[in-house]
Amino acid sequence: MAQGWGLGALFNLDHYGHYIQWHVIQISVANLVVIILMVATFIAALFAPFPGRRNRKGSK
Amino acid sequence: MTKKAFRPDVDAPEYKGAYVPYDIIKEGAIAVLVVLILTAALALVFSSPDEKAITIKTWSNADTVDFAQTAGDELTGTSAVAGYGAPYNNNGTAQHWGFLAPEHWVGVHIPINTTNDFVINPLSDQPAQPRLTAALNEWKSASSATQSAWGAAYAKVEAKLTYSNGQVHLPTTAAGPIPVLLSYETQMARSGALDQALIAQNGFYTTNYTKPLLFISDGTYFAGLASKQHLAGDQWGMMNETGQYPGQAWLWLYTFWYQISPYNTSASGDFLVWGTMMILTALLVLLPFIPGLRSVPRRLKIYRIIWREHYARQA
Amino acid sequence: MSNAQIERQWTSRLRHRVVEKLPPEKLLPDTQPAYVASWIYVFGVTTMAALGIVILTGTILALDGPQWWHSSSLGHFINSMHLWSVEIFFFAMVVHLWGKFSMAAWRGGRSMTWVTGGVTFLASILAGFTGYVSQTNFDSQWISTQAKDGINATGGGAFFNVLNLGQMLMWHIVLLPLAAVVLTGLHVIMVRVKGVVPPFEETTEVSA
């Protein structure tokens, strides 16, 4: 579809999606990945050491 | 300050500690750059979906019987839109909860008469053909009781409707002009003329697709395509996207209610879902003012991880 | 005109109030409290950066009209960037929300900062939704015909007709972006006026 500019997708996501069903819950793999990444990012942001702010005492 | 007791979930302690250098403009510039690169990379790698819109022409050619049956429902006033109620017409019961019925209070604002708007008017604008003109005249001059009788006869055999040689066939003789009208309507649809006729009802210029969209949404063909893509309401469809793309995942809670009772069984399900979401949204937005709820973060103690260096310095 | 007269002018009074509430060193600070030392703090600015990219790509899409992107590969690419920057925008905003909730960031007279943030979230959802129904493809056909029922049930469908492409497009490219930007601006100004919320006071158990 997107030719000429060489801007076509490397991964074609236009096929029918995959879905996970668990009781009443039904979610597309794509959305699940996004949500898992969101939770993972939150946890990583909490625990990852923040650079350059250690041992800086002395008040303004 | 000294008069009131310190409320830990409302008041903040005064900070008397150290300050560190902070370059807010540099931070913003880095954020823009990172997001720009990430966006371009995702766009290059995954692109974006663009499933072509369907038309009444593609629908009626792909599933002619479904189209003709839907057109029959529009003509005889038995389709979902025909019996929708406000804001399109007065034929349905408005969604409500107790005495709360805003749909009813607002009333008809976008008048849709499916019989005329979707079938009779487009056919009347066609070049005169004796058979069509006769059928239209027969319909228009009939009393509403007669029209209803034809409609009832049509409803009985609708499931047995067939289409061949450009004609709609119904195994009944009691449906009056309905088979002829549906034959011409279907021909018109398959040629693309009905798309044009429905859109042109707004005049030369238009940016409003209410009528053709409502017509298309009454058929089963459209819903079938959507179901294949897991877009239907009972498939959590609101947060899904065509293909394998992530969708509006932030609608997860809104779409969740449609999966469970009483929301998915009530005739006023949409109203109940909106009511529920409005209350929950108010709880979120007004969280700082709600005793109990606003204490949750202090009890969760996630803040201890965030400010661990600060607390370590204090110790 | 005497000095006192000048000081009484509406303009002077407004300037004094603004400068008093938000002096330049608060608007564009060069230091911050030492407790601001966590990656969780970067998601607010990430959300704003994503909003910037959303607006930039949307502006490029606007240049050639609402249907250009169907037929141009460059248009399709810009549309892809528009979509993915929206995904990043919501992603970052939700992590930002979780972070600010964890810190109970409404403390110390910052409740309106929380409220404007929440309203911005709602405006963004509506902006995203109107974008989805303005795509002029199968997706927009389906989403609009589905969404009409919910909005009609509230009575709002009579005035906010999701099947009216022109109306939805106007909301998407004029009204809601304006709302999102104004709300974000208010939100950020409030953060700058009040500063970043200080940590909870840990009750130190006295053992001796």
Side-chain angles (χ1 to χ4, degrees):
Chain A
M1 214 177 278
Q3 272 132 26
W5 279 78
L7 299 174
L10 298 181
F11 291 92
N12 185 357
L13 297 185
D14 276 323
H15 312 290
Y16 285 139
H18 302 291
Y19 287 80
I20 290 163
Q21 176 110 41
W22 184 73
H23 297 283
V24 77
I25 306 220
Q26 190 185 132
I27 188 164
S28 75
V29 171
N31 277 342
L32 187 65
V33 167
V34 169
I35 290 169
I36 288 173
L37 276 177
M38 225 147 63
V39 175
T41 305
F42 179 64
I43 293 171
L46 291 182
F47 288 99
F50 196 75
R53 294 280 166 82
R54 260 165 235 274
N55 306 322
R56 222 190 275 265
K57 287 186 179 168
S59 62
K60 201 172 128 181
Chain B
M1 264 305 187
T2 43
K3 271 187 250 163
K4 270 190 184 170
F6 184 85
R7 294 167 298 172
D9 303 313
V10 177
D11 306 318
E14 200 188 334
Y15 178 69
K16 295 185 190 120
Y19 280 72
V20 292
Y22 171 50
D23 194 342
I24 192 170
I25 296 297
K26 188 176 169 190
E27 183 190 59
I30 292 172
V32 169
L33 197 68
V34 168
V35 174
L36 185 64
I37 292 170
L38 195 57
T39 304
L42 285 164
L44 270 176
V45 175
F46 296 120
S47 190
S48 56
D50 189 15
E51 196 107 338
K52 246 176 120 69
I54 69 162
T55 60
I56 290 176
K57 181 180 178 179
T58 54
W59 167 27
S60 58
N61 281 287
D63 192 345
T64 310
V65 169
D66 177 55
F67 169 79
Q69 288 171 335
T70 308
D73 294 343
E74 306 293 9
L75 175 64
T76 57
T78 57
S79 70
V81 173
Y84 194 94
Y88 307 128
N89 46 53
N90 289 314
N91 307 335
T93 358
Q95 296 203 19
H96 63 278
W97 187 71
F99 69 95
L100 291 173
E103 196 178 355
H104 171 72
W105 298 336
V106 167
V108 179
H109 268 249
I110 307 163
I112 305 278
N113 175 323
T114 61
T115 307
N116 291 331
D117 290 337
F118 292 168
V119 185
I120 299 299
N121 293 348
L123 285 176
S124 304
D125 289 341
Q126 287 288 88
Q129 295 158 80
R131 225 173 128 235
L132 173 60
T133 311
L136 279 171
N137 286 339
E138 191 180 357
W139 178 270
K140 286 176 186 169
S141 56
S143 67
S144 60
T146 311
Q147 288 175 349
S148 298
W150 291 336
Y154 165 77
K156 271 191 206 144
V157 295
E158 183 182 11
K160 293 178 186 147
L161 184 150
T162 56
Y163 179 82
S164 58
N165 303 322
Q167 298 299 318
V168 165
H169 305 285
L170 284 164
T172 179
T173 50
I178 290 178
V180 177
L181 292 172
L182 292 186
S183 293
Y184 281 100
E185 173 92 348
T186 306
Q187 285 172 21
M188 209 180 155
R190 285 164 62 96
S191 73
L194 188 57
D195 285 298
Q196 298 309 316
L198 288 172
I199 292 166
Q201 285 182 4
N202 295 313
F204 181 78
Y205 284 112
T206 186
T207 54
N208 187 351
Y209 291 83
T210 304
K211 283 176 187 173
L213 279 171
L214 286 177
F215 197 158
I216 287 174
S217 73
D218 269 337
T220 60
Y221 174 71
F222 187 45
L225 292 179
S227 274
K228 268 193 223 160
Q229 299 265 20
H230 285 250
L231 300 178
D234 58 4
Q235 296 171 309
W236 296 67
M238 228 173 281
M239 62 190 283
N240 294 337
E241 174 58 278
T242 54
Q244 293 169 310
Y245 293 90
Q248 302 180 73
W250 45 91
L251 296 181
W252 67 275
L253 188 58
Y254 180 46
T255 191
F256 163 73
W257 301 113
Y258 283 96
Q259 318 307 317
I260 60 164
S261 176
Y263 301 97
N264 63 353
T265 50
S266 164
S268 295
D270 293 303
F271 186 66
L272 297 182
V273 169
W274 270 77
T276 306
M277 284 308 287
M278 279 176 183
I279 292 168
L280 293 176
T281 303
L283 288 183
L284 173 73
V285 172
L286 302 176
L287 198 67
F289 309 103
I290 303 169
L293 270 185
R294 67 186 176 197
S295 305
V296 173
R298 189 162 47 90
R299 292 173 208 273
L300 274 180
K301 300 203 188 305
I302 294 173
Y303 70 87
R304 281 190 176 167
I305 308 166
I306 297 172
W307 289 314
R308 60 188 180 279
E309 285 185 28
H310 169 79
Y311 293 128
R313 266 197 302 270
Q314 278 191 331
Chain C
M1 213 180 232
S2 73
N3 245 356
Q5 257 178 316
I6 289 178
E7 286 305 306
R8 274 206 305 275
Q9 289 183 127
W10 291 9
T11 312
S12 317
R13 286 197 218 166
L14 177 68
R15 190 184 61 231
H16 288 315
R17 270 204 71 169
V18 169
V19 171
E20 189 196 328
K21 277 252 174 201
L22 192 61
E25 59 274 18
K26 267 191 175 180
L27 180 65
L28 291 173
D30 45 25
T31 59
Q32 66 182 355
Y35 58 78
V36 185
S38 166
W39 284 105
I40 202 68
Y41 284 104
V42 306
F43 290 94
V45 68
T46 307
T47 310
M48 291 222 300
L51 179 62
I53 308 296
V54 170
I55 291 173
L56 176 73
T57 52
T59 305
I60 299 173
L61 284 174
L63 289 175
D64 224 341
Q67 294 194 295
W68 165 61
W69 70 283
H70 295 303
S71 54
S72 154
S73 57
L74 176 64
H76 193 97
F77 177 68
I78 301 295
N79 178 76
S80 305
M81 283 189 71
H82 197 56
L83 169 71
W84 287 105
S85 52
V86 168
E87 289 286 342
I88 294 171
F89 172 75
F90 277 102
F91 189 108
M93 184 152 46
V94 170
V95 177
H96 176 64
L97 173 84
W98 292 345
K100 292 300 148 188
F101 175 76
S102 306
M103 294 184 250
W106 53 76
R107 290 173 296 129
R110 293 170 179 83
S111 47
M112 283 319 286
T113 313
W114 174 273
V115 170
T116 50
V119 176
T120 311
F121 185 42
L122 298 180
S124 306
I125 288 175
L126 202 56
F129 166 77
T130 52
Y132 274 91
V133 298
S134 298
Q135 291 178 90
T136 63
N137 59 14
F138 178 80
D139 218 21
S140 55
Q141 286 181 308
W142 179 254
I143 294 171
S144 57
T145 50
Q146 287 294 295
K148 75 175 193 304
D149 299 327
I151 296 169
N152 285 342
T154 66
F159 314 101
F160 188 79
N161 180 6
V162 296
L163 305 174
N164 184 339
L165 172 68
Q167 189 186 11
M168 290 303 107
L169 188 65
M170 292 297 187
W171 277 78
H172 181 64
I173 67 174
V174 182
L175 303 175
L176 290 166
L178 193 66
V181 168
V182 168
L183 284 165
T184 306
L186 280 174
H187 185 70
V188 171
I189 287 173
M190 285 177 189
V191 173
R192 297 285 32 123
V193 168
K194 290 279 179 183
V196 183
V197 75
F200 281 110
E201 222 145 45
E202 283 289 69
T203 41
T204 38
E205 273 116 298
V206 186
S207 52

mmCIF file with all atom_site columns, all heavy atoms in Angstrom, chain B residues 11-24:
data_model
loop_
_atom_site.group_PDB
_atom_site.id
_atom_site.type_symbol
_atom_site.label_atom_id
_atom_site.label_alt_id
_atom_site.label_comp_id
_atom_site.label_asym_id
_atom_site.label_entity_id
_atom_site.label_seq_id
_atom_site.pdbx_PDB_ins_code
_atom_site.Cartn_x
_atom_site.Cartn_y
_atom_site.Cartn_z
_atom_site.occupancy
_atom_site.B_iso_or_equiv
_atom_site.pdbx_formal_charge
_atom_site.auth_seq_id
_atom_site.auth_comp_id
_atom_site.auth_asym_id
_atom_site.auth_atom_id
_atom_site.pdbx_PDB_model_num
ATOM 1   N N   . ASP B 1 11 ? -2.945 17.568 53.479 1.00 0.00 ? 11 ASP B N   1
ATOM 2   C CA  . ASP B 1 11 ? -1.876 18.553 53.637 1.00 0.00 ? 11 ASP B CA  1
ATOM 3   C C   . ASP B 1 11 ? -0.532 17.923 53.310 1.00 0.00 ? 11 ASP B C   1
ATOM 4   O O   . ASP B 1 11 ? -0.357 16.715 53.420 1.00 0.00 ? 11 ASP B O   1
ATOM 5   C CB  . ASP B 1 11 ? -1.875 19.063 55.077 1.00 0.00 ? 11 ASP B CB  1
ATOM 6   C CG  . ASP B 1 11 ? -3.250 19.598 55.480 1.00 0.00 ? 11 ASP B CG  1
ATOM 7   O OD1 . ASP B 1 11 ? -3.860 20.288 54.649 1.00 0.00 ? 11 ASP B OD1 1
ATOM 8   O OD2 . ASP B 1 11 ? -3.707 19.283 56.597 1.00 0.00 ? 11 ASP B OD2 1
ATOM 9   N N   . ALA B 1 12 ? 0.379  18.784 52.889 1.00 0.00 ? 12 ALA B N   1
ATOM 10  C CA  . ALA B 1 12 ? 1.729  18.291 52.614 1.00 0.00 ? 12 ALA B CA  1
ATOM 11  C C   . ALA B 1 12 ? 2.693  18.931 53.603 1.00 0.00 ? 12 ALA B C   1
ATOM 12  O O   . ALA B 1 12 ? 2.551  20.107 53.928 1.00 0.00 ? 12 ALA B O   1
ATOM 13  C CB  . ALA B 1 12 ? 2.128  18.638 51.190 1.00 0.00 ? 12 ALA B CB  1
ATOM 14  N N   . PRO B 1 13 ? 3.650  18.155 54.083 1.00 0.00 ? 13 PRO B N   1
ATOM 15  C CA  . PRO B 1 13 ? 4.627  18.751 54.988 1.00 0.00 ? 13 PRO B CA  1
ATOM 16  C C   . PRO B 1 13 ? 5.490  19.762 54.247 1.00 0.00 ? 13 PRO B C   1
ATOM 17  O O   . PRO B 1 13 ? 5.657  19.672 53.037 1.00 0.00 ? 13 PRO B O   1
ATOM 18  C CB  . PRO B 1 13 ? 5.467  17.551 55.439 1.00 0.00 ? 13 PRO B CB  1
ATOM 19  C CG  . PRO B 1 13 ? 5.254  16.509 54.399 1.00 0.00 ? 13 PRO B CG  1
ATOM 20  C CD  . PRO B 1 13 ? 3.920  16.739 53.805 1.00 0.00 ? 13 PRO B CD  1
ATOM 21  N N   . GLU B 1 14 ? 6.004  20.725 54.972 1.00 0.00 ? 14 GLU B N   1
ATOM 22  C CA  . GLU B 1 14 ? 6.859  21.721 54.334 1.00 0.00 ? 14 GLU B CA  1
ATOM 23  C C   . GLU B 1 14 ? 8.238  21.109 54.122 1.00 0.00 ? 14 GLU B C   1
ATOM 24  O O   . GLU B 1 14 ? 8.799  20.491 55.024 1.00 0.00 ? 14 GLU B O   1
ATOM 25  C CB  . GLU B 1 14 ? 6.963  22.963 55.219 1.00 0.00 ? 14 GLU B CB  1
ATOM 26  C CG  . GLU B 1 14 ? 7.398  24.179 54.441 1.00 0.00 ? 14 GLU B CG  1
ATOM 27  C CD  . GLU B 1 14 ? 7.698  25.364 55.355 1.00 0.00 ? 14 GLU B CD  1
ATOM 28  O OE1 . GLU B 1 14 ? 7.126  25.412 56.464 1.00 0.00 ? 14 GLU B OE1 1
ATOM 29  O OE2 . GLU B 1 14 ? 8.511  26.205 54.966 1.00 0.00 ? 14 GLU B OE2 1
ATOM 30  N N   . TYR B 1 15 ? 8.751  21.293 52.926 1.00 0.00 ? 15 TYR B N   1
ATOM 31  C CA  . TYR B 1 15 ? 10.057 20.702 52.616 1.00 0.00 ? 15 TYR B CA  1
ATOM 32  C C   . TYR B 1 15 ? 11.159 21.696 52.933 1.00 0.00 ? 15 TYR B C   1
ATOM 33  O O   . TYR B 1 15 ? 11.160 22.824 52.430 1.00 0.00 ? 15 TYR B O   1
ATOM 34  C CB  . TYR B 1 15 ? 10.101 20.306 51.144 1.00 0.00 ? 15 TYR B CB  1
ATOM 35  C CG  . TYR B 1 15 ? 11.428 19.719 50.713 1.00 0.00 ? 15 TYR B CG  1
ATOM 36  C CD1 . TYR B 1 15 ? 11.844 18.467 51.178 1.00 0.00 ? 15 TYR B CD1 1
ATOM 37  C CD2 . TYR B 1 15 ? 12.264 20.419 49.851 1.00 0.00 ? 15 TYR B CD2 1
ATOM 38  C CE1 . TYR B 1 15 ? 13.061 17.930 50.782 1.00 0.00 ? 15 TYR B CE1 1
ATOM 39  C CE2 . TYR B 1 15 ? 13.489 19.890 49.450 1.00 0.00 ? 15 TYR B CE2 1
ATOM 40  C CZ  . TYR B 1 15 ? 13.873 18.649 49.917 1.00 0.00 ? 15 TYR B CZ  1
ATOM 41  O OH  . TYR B 1 15 ? 15.074 18.115 49.531 1.00 0.00 ? 15 TYR B OH  1
ATOM 42  N N   . LYS B 1 16 ? 12.098 21.289 53.774 1.00 0.00 ? 16 LYS B N   1
ATOM 43  C CA  . LYS B 1 16 ? 13.182 22.207 54.137 1.00 0.00 ? 16 LYS B CA  1
ATOM 44  C C   . LYS B 1 16 ? 14.533 21.666 53.712 1.00 0.00 ? 16 LYS B C   1
ATOM 45  O O   . LYS B 1 16 ? 15.568 22.164 54.135 1.00 0.00 ? 16 LYS B O   1
ATOM 46  C CB  . LYS B 1 16 ? 13.168 22.447 55.655 1.00 0.00 ? 16 LYS B CB  1
ATOM 47  C CG  . LYS B 1 16 ? 11.905 23.160 56.118 1.00 0.00 ? 16 LYS B CG  1
ATOM 48  C CD  . LYS B 1 16 ? 12.003 23.494 57.605 1.00 0.00 ? 16 LYS B CD  1
ATOM 49  C CE  . LYS B 1 16 ? 10.666 23.989 58.124 1.00 0.00 ? 16 LYS B CE  1
ATOM 50  N NZ  . LYS B 1 16 ? 10.140 23.126 59.204 1.00 0.00 ? 16 LYS B NZ  1
ATOM 51  N N   . GLY B 1 17 ? 14.499 20.602 52.884 1.00 0.00 ? 17 GLY B N   1
ATOM 52  C CA  . GLY B 1 17 ? 15.747 19.933 52.517 1.00 0.00 ? 17 GLY B CA  1
ATOM 53  C C   . GLY B 1 17 ? 16.465 20.589 51.351 1.00 0.00 ? 17 GLY B C   1
ATOM 54  O O   . GLY B 1 17 ? 16.192 21.733 50.979 1.00 0.00 ? 17 GLY B O   1
ATOM 55  N N   . ALA B 1 18 ? 17.332 19.804 50.767 1.00 0.00 ? 18 ALA B N   1
ATOM 56  C CA  . ALA B 1 18 ? 18.227 20.305 49.732 1.00 0.00 ? 18 ALA B CA  1
ATOM 57  C C   . ALA B 1 18 ? 17.524 20.457 48.389 1.00 0.00 ? 18 ALA B C   1
ATOM 58  O O   . ALA B 1 18 ? 16.512 19.827 48.128 1.00 0.00 ? 18 ALA B O   1
ATOM 59  C CB  . ALA B 1 18 ? 19.403 19.344 49.594 1.00 0.00 ? 18 ALA B CB  1
ATOM 60  N N   . TYR B 1 19 ? 18.087 21.317 47.558 1.00 0.00 ? 19 TYR B N   1
ATOM 61  C CA  . TYR B 1 19 ? 17.647 21.462 46.171 1.00 0.00 ? 19 TYR B CA  1
ATOM 62  C C   . TYR B 1 19 ? 18.809 21.043 45.263 1.00 0.00 ? 19 TYR B C   1
ATOM 63  O O   . TYR B 1 19 ? 19.975 21.190 45.636 1.00 0.00 ? 19 TYR B O   1
ATOM 64  C CB  . TYR B 1 19 ? 17.235 22.897 45.881 1.00 0.00 ? 19 TYR B CB  1
ATOM 65  C CG  . TYR B 1 19 ? 15.844 23.215 46.388 1.00 0.00 ? 19 TYR B CG  1
ATOM 66  C CD1 . TYR B 1 19 ? 15.593 23.353 47.750 1.00 0.00 ? 19 TYR B CD1 1
ATOM 67  C CD2 . TYR B 1 19 ? 14.783 23.350 45.500 1.00 0.00 ? 19 TYR B CD2 1
ATOM 68  C CE1 . TYR B 1 19 ? 14.316 23.611 48.223 1.00 0.00 ? 19 TYR B CE1 1
ATOM 69  C CE2 . TYR B 1 19 ? 13.499 23.618 45.966 1.00 0.00 ? 19 TYR B CE2 1
ATOM 70  C CZ  . TYR B 1 19 ? 13.278 23.742 47.326 1.00 0.00 ? 19 TYR B CZ  1
ATOM 71  O OH  . TYR B 1 19 ? 12.020 24.009 47.782 1.00 0.00 ? 19 TYR B OH  1
ATOM 72  N N   . VAL B 1 20 ? 18.466 20.506 44.115 1.00 0.00 ? 20 VAL B N   1
ATOM 73  C CA  . VAL B 1 20 ? 19.519 20.076 43.189 1.00 0.00 ? 20 VAL B CA  1
ATOM 74  C C   . VAL B 1 20 ? 19.302 20.768 41.840 1.00 0.00 ? 20 VAL B C   1
ATOM 75  O O   . VAL B 1 20 ? 18.178 21.182 41.529 1.00 0.00 ? 20 VAL B O   1
ATOM 76  C CB  . VAL B 1 20 ? 19.500 18.548 43.001 1.00 0.00 ? 20 VAL B CB  1
ATOM 77  C CG1 . VAL B 1 20 ? 19.906 17.845 44.282 1.00 0.00 ? 20 VAL B CG1 1
ATOM 78  C CG2 . VAL B 1 20 ? 18.143 18.078 42.518 1.00 0.00 ? 20 VAL B CG2 1
ATOM 79  N N   . PRO B 1 21 ? 20.345 20.892 41.034 1.00 0.00 ? 21 PRO B N   1
ATOM 80  C CA  . PRO B 1 21 ? 20.192 21.548 39.723 1.00 0.00 ? 21 PRO B CA  1
ATOM 81  C C   . PRO B 1 21 ? 19.179 20.786 38.862 1.00 0.00 ? 21 PRO B C   1
ATOM 82  O O   . PRO B 1 21 ? 19.084 19.571 38.923 1.00 0.00 ? 21 PRO B O   1
ATOM 83  C CB  . PRO B 1 21 ? 21.597 21.459 39.105 1.00 0.00 ? 21 PRO B CB  1
ATOM 84  C CG  . PRO B 1 21 ? 22.509 21.204 40.243 1.00 0.00 ? 21 PRO B CG  1
ATOM 85  C CD  . PRO B 1 21 ? 21.732 20.469 41.277 1.00 0.00 ? 21 PRO B CD  1
ATOM 86  N N   . TYR B 1 22 ? 18.426 21.537 38.063 1.00 0.00 ? 22 TYR B N   1
ATOM 87  C CA  . TYR B 1 22 ? 17.376 20.935 37.242 1.00 0.00 ? 22 TYR B CA  1
ATOM 88  C C   . TYR B 1 22 ? 17.228 21.763 35.985 1.00 0.00 ? 22 TYR B C   1
ATOM 89  O O   . TYR B 1 22 ? 16.955 22.956 36.059 1.00 0.00 ? 22 TYR B O   1
ATOM 90  C CB  . TYR B 1 22 ? 16.075 20.906 38.055 1.00 0.00 ? 22 TYR B CB  1
ATOM 91  C CG  . TYR B 1 22 ? 14.837 20.501 37.279 1.00 0.00 ? 22 TYR B CG  1
ATOM 92  C CD1 . TYR B 1 22 ? 14.825 19.346 36.490 1.00 0.00 ? 22 TYR B CD1 1
ATOM 93  C CD2 . TYR B 1 22 ? 13.673 21.252 37.354 1.00 0.00 ? 22 TYR B CD2 1
ATOM 94  C CE1 . TYR B 1 22 ? 13.687 18.971 35.800 1.00 0.00 ? 22 TYR B CE1 1
ATOM 95  C CE2 . TYR B 1 22 ? 12.523 20.889 36.669 1.00 0.00 ? 22 TYR B CE2 1
ATOM 96  C CZ  . TYR B 1 22 ? 12.537 19.748 35.891 1.00 0.00 ? 22 TYR B CZ  1
ATOM 97  O OH  . TYR B 1 22 ? 11.404 19.381 35.217 1.00 0.00 ? 22 TYR B OH  1
ATOM 98  N N   . ASP B 1 23 ? 17.414 21.137 34.838 1.00 0.00 ? 23 ASP B N   1
ATOM 99  C CA  . ASP B 1 23 ? 17.324 21.851 33.563 1.00 0.00 ? 23 ASP B CA  1
ATOM 100 C C   . ASP B 1 23 ? 16.025 21.450 32.864 1.00 0.00 ? 23 ASP B C   1
ATOM 101 O O   . ASP B 1 23 ? 15.972 20.505 32.086 1.00 0.00 ? 23 ASP B O   1
ATOM 102 C CB  . ASP B 1 23 ? 18.539 21.515 32.698 1.00 0.00 ? 23 ASP B CB  1
ATOM 103 C CG  . ASP B 1 23 ? 18.679 22.473 31.523 1.00 0.00 ? 23 ASP B CG  1
ATOM 104 O OD1 . ASP B 1 23 ? 17.681 23.152 31.205 1.00 0.00 ? 23 ASP B OD1 1
ATOM 105 O OD2 . ASP B 1 23 ? 19.774 22.537 30.941 1.00 0.00 ? 23 ASP B OD2 1
ATOM 106 N N   . ILE B 1 24 ? 14.967 22.212 33.142 1.00 0.00 ? 24 ILE B N   1
ATOM 107 C CA  . ILE B 1 24 ? 13.631 21.825 32.670 1.00 0.00 ? 24 ILE B CA  1
ATOM 108 C C   . ILE B 1 24 ? 13.531 21.856 31.145 1.00 0.00 ? 24 ILE B C   1
ATOM 109 O O   . ILE B 1 24 ? 12.871 21.017 30.530 1.00 0.00 ? 24 ILE B O   1
ATOM 110 C CB  . ILE B 1 24 ? 12.546 22.724 33.333 1.00 0.00 ? 24 ILE B CB  1
ATOM 111 C CG1 . ILE B 1 24 ? 11.141 22.146 33.096 1.00 0.00 ? 24 ILE B CG1 1
ATOM 112 C CG2 . ILE B 1 24 ? 12.611 24.154 32.841 1.00 0.00 ? 24 ILE B CG2 1
ATOM 113 C CD1 . ILE B 1 24 ? 10.048 22.831 33.921 1.00 0.00 ? 24 ILE B CD1 1
#
